[in-house]
Amino acid sequence: MMMVSPAASSIKTSNLLPRAALALANVKYEKKGSIAYVTVNRPKVLNALNTPTWTDLQAAFEDAKADASVHGVILTGTGDKAFIAGADISELAHVDAYNAEESSRLGQGVLDLVENLGKPVVAAINGFALGGGCETAMACTMRIAAEHAKFGQPEVKLGLLPGGGGTQRLPRLVGKGRALQLILTGETIAAQEAYRIGLVNEVVPAASLIARAEAILKQIAANAPIAVKFSLEAANKGMDISQAEGFALEASYFGICAATEDEKEGTSAFLEKRAPQFQGR
């Protein structure tokens, strides 16, 4: 059952009031300027993921995808202890094989939506990102971590394996050997180590986390929206096809972008030495 949560937010940004908010039980969702903010809001269980939370995340990201005024998303967790500490063990402990597989597919589907949103999603990792939390962060376009953040895939310690895409995305991000070390040992690593192996893009002081995520999205939003969308799509699809197929896909998207009004505006602005005014057409 959906509950209406307060519209107030602890995230400091522009003076613009939220334009819209979904009524969600376990996720705060609001829009300010061209940025949508998705905040997992279960601080008593360190923002652990259960079925209703996955459903709320799906609703929030579907809305962000459909709203043309949203140019990017920041995903974070409530509080200063956890981004998402993993799956809700109280739910997980009672599932059978069939329900466990269905739960895995639900999470994978939501994270596929996040990864292929067509808009950049920045994970602002403000604490523990373990299990499903690490998997959720990996589905985002990029990851900015607070200095105290921790990462890991500890599922083997529970007699399980990562079920939200961890066995697939982690090797693609950090390499097969390092990924298997993390998955098979279940070890937890600090933010700086996550940065060293390429799991996160940047490590910043906790007080600067949201501001840095906003700055990145605003920098991206200044570019042509269609070009951003197809750049994301080319990179994502290219991971699962041969390099030759990836080159062909890239050339096709390059041609599509060349036919847009934004391309004409971008090249004209460059030659005229002025800032471009992209319209997403």
Side-chain angles (χ1 to χ4, degrees):
M1 182 175 180
M2 302 175 88
M3 299 169 53
V4 178
S5 59
S9 171
S10 61
I11 298 174
K12 295 180 180 179
T13 182
S14 66
N15 293 324
L16 294 173
L17 292 175
R19 290 196 304 271
L22 288 177
L24 303 172
N26 295 323
V27 169
K28 294 179 183 177
Y29 178 64
E30 59 183 346
K31 305 168 192 175
K32 298 179 182 180
S34 63
I35 299 175
Y37 297 78
V38 179
T39 306
V40 180
N41 187 32
R42 303 185 74 212
K44 291 183 179 179
V45 289
L46 299 179
N47 303 320
L49 295 165
N50 60 4
T51 299
T53 306
W54 281 121
T55 303
D56 283 358
L57 284 170
Q58 181 175 10
F61 277 98
E62 284 176 345
D63 183 271
K65 183 173 186 176
D67 189 340
S69 71
V70 172
H71 292 172
V73 180
I74 294 174
L75 174 61
T76 192
T78 295
D80 57 5
K81 292 183 179 180
F83 170 69
I84 299 168
D88 191 327
I89 305 302
S90 64
E91 179 182 86
L92 191 62
H94 301 290
V95 297
D96 58 21
Y98 174 81
N99 289 324
E101 181 174 349
E102 289 299 300
S103 175
S104 176
R105 291 187 184 279
L106 171 63
Q108 288 172 354
V110 175
L111 296 185
D112 182 70
L113 170 65
V114 172
E115 186 171 49
N116 296 290
L117 199 69
K119 304 172 184 183
V121 180
V122 177
I125 303 160
N126 53 315
F128 289 110
L130 304 176
C134 189
E135 290 170 313
T136 299
M138 288 190 291
C140 296
T141 312
M142 57 195 75
R143 290 149 293 284
I144 310 300
E147 292 171 327
H148 69 285
K150 305 286 186 182
F151 299 82
Q153 297 286 170
E155 287 87 350
V156 290
K157 295 183 177 181
L158 300 174
L160 294 165
L161 73 155
T167 63
Q168 305 305 304
R169 288 191 178 94
L170 191 55
R172 286 170 167 80
L173 281 170
V174 306
K176 182 179 177 181
R178 192 66 179 97
L180 285 175
Q181 183 177 350
L182 288 169
I183 291 168
L184 298 180
T185 64
E187 69 176 306
T188 298
I189 60 173
Q192 286 294 345
E193 175 64 5
Y195 172 74
R196 188 188 71 81
I197 66 175
L199 182 53
V200 301
N201 297 74
E202 297 181 19
V203 178
V204 301
S208 305
L209 184 63
I210 297 300
R212 179 57 185 148
E214 290 173 338
I216 291 171
L217 287 181
K218 288 173 183 176
Q219 186 178 4
I220 295 172
N223 299 321
I226 296 173
V228 169
K229 176 181 182 296
F230 281 114
S231 294
L232 282 166
E233 193 167 322
N236 285 340
K237 288 186 175 180
M239 295 297 293
D240 298 317
I241 57 180
S242 71
Q243 189 176 66
E245 291 170 320
F247 286 151
L249 182 66
E250 179 182 88
S252 174
Y253 288 163
F254 190 83
I256 292 171
C257 288
T260 63
E261 293 180 24
D262 278 353
E263 189 273 345
K264 294 176 178 61
E265 168 63 12
T267 54
S268 295
F270 179 84
L271 294 172
E272 295 166 12
K273 297 182 177 169
R274 62 176 174 82
Q277 299 296 316
F278 295 120
Q279 301 298 319
R281 297 194 295 265

